Amino acid sequence: MLSLSSHLIPRIVVIFALSFSAMTAESAIPLSEIVAQPLSPFDQRLGYGPSKHNFALRWTTQQTPPKARVIYVHGGCWLSEFDHTHADSFVSYLGENGFDAWTLEYRRTGATGGGWPTSLLDVQQGIKAIMGDDTVTPTVIIGHSAGGHLALLAARSEWYAQTPVATVALAPITDMVAYAMGKNSCQQGTVPFMGAAPHEQPDAYRNASPSSWDFSDRLVWILQGIDDIIVPKEHANVLGAESLLLPSVGHFDWLMIDSAAQRKLMDVLKTALTTLEVQQK
């Protein structure tokens, strides 16, 4: 059964990667540079629900067997205006580098018909559809920003504990009440996503906040850039998750191929897979 943590003191391993001096010149990479990256065409489209926005795209690898399955949940402030396409180059890169790589689309606030809890239910259903009956292949769910928020909540699903799955959240939104109090445009998308203000639906905000949960019985990493102005670094404080705070890293750096932030992400991905392999023995 899912249960809210009775205490909010996080068990965190914080790593300040001070040796990443090269990050200084690469910090705060704009979204326009991420979108401009080359990508290969996807190999498969999988529908998983009633909406035209319930689908996943797959980039297969030539490596047999693949290193692992990776399912990517995109961000975009939960808004319908931002779909999967801005991160497709990153997922394509994973497919070209030995992974069975998927990007998961879901309904979001506005025209696509999402919001709380529809968007989370979509992500949960989409992940289950991609995994199917395969409870053997190691799987890493990577979520960025609002997608990191949904990926963390999906990690609380019952099936997670029964399969070899790890979660890597990139700059995730973890405290919905605190985020709703913010003034930037993404923070202002919190109340429309939730459908009410925090004081109007306190239980919903608590359930929708990964910071309210204990992830000690899950394999969860949080990667956060200290220079992120969209999601403050305080959102890395989640009980039971291993958090890495990297200096001179902005919000989108993780998706920039061969950036120092993206290389650190690949290191964490390797660590997650090694941990899953050990657990399976």
Side-chain angles (χ1 to χ4, degrees):
M1 295 293 293
L2 301 183
S3 60
L4 287 172
S5 173
S6 59
H7 51 91
L8 300 178
I9 302 174
R11 180 177 64 83
I12 305 173
V13 178
V14 180
I15 299 176
F16 287 90
L18 297 178
S19 61
F20 275 50
S21 58
M23 282 189 175
T24 302
E26 300 176 337
S27 64
I29 296 172
L31 180 59
S32 59
E33 292 190 22
I34 307 299
V35 175
Q37 295 181 117
L39 72 154
S40 58
F42 63 86
D43 301 297
Q44 180 185 352
R45 187 183 191 279
L46 173 68
Y48 67 84
S51 169
K52 65 179 181 180
H53 303 286
N54 294 145
F55 66 88
L57 303 179
R58 183 185 194 183
W59 281 263
T60 56
T61 177
Q62 298 301 313
Q63 180 172 319
T64 305
K67 296 177 183 177
R69 179 195 294 121
V70 175
I71 302 172
Y72 180 79
V73 185
H74 72 83
C77 312
W78 307 285
L79 295 171
S80 293
E81 289 81 359
F82 301 100
D83 65 4
H84 65 91
T85 54
H86 70 272
D88 282 356
S89 57
F90 169 70
V91 184
S92 169
Y93 168 85
L94 293 175
E96 293 167 358
N97 285 271
F99 294 95
D100 181 16
W102 295 80
T103 189
L104 180 60
E105 189 59 280
Y106 55 95
R107 287 172 285 184
R108 293 144 351 256
T109 309
T112 57
W116 179 260
T118 301
S119 298
L120 174 60
L121 296 174
D122 279 0
V123 169
Q124 292 172 323
Q125 185 178 357
I127 292 172
K128 290 182 69 175
I130 291 169
M131 295 178 67
D133 296 327
D134 181 2
T135 59
V136 177
T137 300
T139 300
V140 179
I141 302 167
I142 300 177
H144 177 244
S145 194
H149 162 254
L150 296 171
L152 286 173
L153 292 177
R156 296 307 313 162
S157 304
E158 294 292 344
W159 50 261
Y160 188 104
Q162 303 167 6
T163 56
V165 181
T167 300
V168 179
L170 310 173
I173 299 160
T174 63
D175 185 334
M176 296 296 280
V177 173
Y179 207 67
M181 298 297 116
K183 301 301 182 183
N184 71 42
S185 59
C186 196
Q187 290 167 326
Q188 291 175 356
T190 309
V191 172
F193 171 74
M194 293 299 298
H199 69 277
E200 296 173 317
Q201 294 288 345
D203 290 342
Y205 272 79
R206 184 169 58 253
N207 288 325
S209 296
S211 60
S212 298
W213 300 86
D214 184 352
F215 289 86
S216 299
D217 59 344
R218 302 291 195 263
L219 282 177
V220 173
W221 283 262
I222 293 177
L223 277 61
Q224 176 68 45
I226 292 178
D227 288 354
D228 191 331
I229 63 173
I230 296 177
V231 178
K233 62 181 183 296
E234 288 75 18
H235 284 265
N237 297 343
V238 173
L239 183 64
E242 182 171 338
S243 297
L244 284 72
L245 304 181
L246 303 185
S248 302
V249 169
H251 191 66
F252 297 105
D253 295 37
W254 313 103
L255 307 180
M256 188 69 184
I257 306 305
D258 204 34
S259 67
Q262 191 262 343
R263 291 194 294 272
K264 171 55 67 173
L265 166 58
M266 298 305 290
D267 288 343
V268 171
L269 183 56
K270 182 178 180 180
T271 299
L273 293 175
T274 299
T275 306
L276 289 174
E277 182 179 352
V278 171
Q279 286 188 347
Q280 285 184 288
K281 291 182 179 179

